[in-house]
Amino acid sequence: MSDTARDIKQMTPEMVAAVGQQAMAYVRPVELEGGQTAYGIFAANGQHLGVAPSRELAFITVRQHELMPVSVH
């Protein structure tokens, strides 16, 4: 077994969850007070980073912060 394969097998769930944390953000619809739909921006670990009025604006915002946007349904 290679060192890389051994290292991967020894990763904890927390370590796996942190993969990509500094490189991507996910965007998903959220409901605001009053029933309006907006798009929440979240870090890979689930931390809420912001909200945008449209999916397009959320993706633009994520890219402006040098992250890769990922859509979540």
Side-chain angles (χ1 to χ4, degrees):
M1 181 183 306
S2 71
D3 288 340
T4 302
R6 190 173 306 115
D7 291 343
I8 290 171
K9 288 184 176 188
Q10 293 176 353
M11 290 180 74
T12 65
E14 293 79 16
M15 293 167 83
V16 173
V19 171
Q21 189 169 344
Q22 301 299 318
M24 67 179 167
Y26 67 91
V27 175
R28 67 174 174 86
V30 294
E31 188 174 317
L32 303 177
E33 289 184 30
Q36 288 183 307
T37 298
Y39 290 82
I41 302 169
F42 300 86
N45 68 357
Q47 178 185 2
H48 184 249
L49 300 174
V51 66
S54 70
R55 182 179 179 276
E56 293 77 17
L57 188 55
F59 270 58
I60 290 168
T61 302
V62 169
R63 287 187 188 111
Q64 285 179 336
H65 287 87
E66 299 180 1
L67 296 170
M68 173 66 73
V70 179
S71 185
V72 176
H73 303 283

